[in-house]
Amino acid sequence: MRTRAVVGVLSGVLALAALGVPGADAVTKYTDVKNIVVNGGKPVALGVSGSVSVPVSMAVSVATHGADAMLYHGGWPESDAYVKPAKTCAGRTGDYTCTMNFTFTALKTVKKNADAGTWGVYASAAGNANAEKVLPFAFNVVRAAKLTTDASPEPAKYGGTITVTGRLTRANWETGQYQGNINQQVQLQFRDDNAGVYTTVKTVTSGTDGALKATVPALASGSWRWVFAGTNTTGAATSAADEVVVK
């Protein structure tokens, strides 16, 4: 009976639209939620302390009873970690953008390293016809990474050798500490004192406990740094620069 009733309503709406009856478009517009964007399209990086506020925006139509969302990890609805918004969007008529903020807290929202990676979004809006969207691969939550750099000797002799070392670490959500991140590709970059941009000189694989090491010729004074692009489970990182004067 319900199916026939809905078909009858839709048939009547189509007939009104065909006759050009005023207000036909308003009658045919139903509740919808779409164009969901989490954190501006960027991964959510979380360390071992503090909290991160994550904005979520979505386009909503005719949600007279409001709109809501949930961020989750794992299958839906049997998620193993999830976050609810601090405040949902109140009901409105017409089209509008619903923006909600979600708080990720270190060692609380995520407690296992396995929680890093792809997260999903469940979004809903209630009105003249309730709408639900499940996006299982919406964004990434990553373990925050850190990099250090030490270039020596200081100063260096022209034509000699400069040794640049460092360490790549990432947050361990289970121990509450940063640990060495091994077997990762990390770029060594240099900026000449007479130039305004960094250029990649070498790519090095992180070793034991995340250790990094490279040797380069001492040809110009400038700054050295390590850069890690990140992965789907570990955040990107750029070290502080270490300047070496070449004489």
Side-chain angles (χ1 to χ4, degrees):
M1 293 295 292
R2 184 177 180 180
T3 300
R4 281 189 297 215
V6 171
V7 170
V9 170
L10 291 177
S11 298
V13 168
L14 291 174
L16 288 173
L19 293 172
V21 175
D25 288 342
V27 175
T28 59
K29 197 162 192 177
Y30 285 89
T31 302
D32 193 15
V33 56
K34 57 186 178 181
N35 300 334
I36 302 168
V37 179
V38 180
N39 204 37
K42 300 177 293 183
V44 176
L46 198 60
V48 297
S49 63
S51 298
V52 176
S53 180
V54 179
V56 174
S57 64
M58 55 190 188
V60 179
S61 300
V62 199
T64 53
H65 299 294
D68 198 356
M70 180 184 293
L71 309 182
Y72 69 92
H73 179 266
W76 179 260
E78 295 82 12
S79 58
D80 54 23
Y82 65 89
V83 188
K84 293 182 178 180
K87 184 178 181 181
T88 61
C89 291
R92 304 185 197 177
T93 59
D95 298 341
Y96 68 96
T97 298
C98 171
T99 300
M100 293 171 281
N101 288 303
F102 297 73
T103 299
F104 281 72
T105 301
L107 310 186
K108 183 177 180 180
T109 305
V110 290
K111 299 178 181 180
K112 302 179 295 182
N113 294 327
D115 290 336
T118 301
W119 279 53
V121 177
Y122 166 78
S124 64
N128 53 14
N130 295 345
E132 293 183 331
K133 293 287 174 66
V134 178
L135 305 180
F137 307 105
F139 67 107
N140 280 352
V141 176
V142 296
R143 297 159 64 181
K146 293 183 178 181
L147 272 171
T148 60
T149 298
D150 182 32
S152 62
E154 300 179 39
K157 182 179 179 180
Y158 181 84
T161 298
I162 296 175
T163 300
V164 186
T165 59
R167 184 173 179 235
L168 173 65
T169 59
R170 64 174 172 172
N172 186 321
W173 294 335
E174 297 170 10
T175 65
Q177 304 291 327
Y178 278 82
Q179 67 179 38
N181 193 6
I182 66 173
N183 296 326
Q184 302 299 315
Q185 298 293 296
V186 184
Q187 294 181 333
L188 175 63
Q189 296 186 342
F190 175 71
R191 183 182 64 189
D192 191 303
D193 280 348
N194 296 317
V197 296
Y198 279 94
T199 58
T200 299
V201 176
K202 285 187 176 182
T203 298
V204 175
T205 300
S206 58
T208 303
D209 204 29
L212 301 165
K213 184 177 181 179
T215 56
V216 292
L219 301 177
S221 298
S223 300
W224 297 91
R225 72 180 187 183
W226 293 103
V227 177
F228 175 57
T231 68
N232 67 330
T233 58
T234 304
T238 299
S239 72
D242 190 11
E243 184 172 11
V244 175
V245 175
V246 176
K247 296 183 175 180

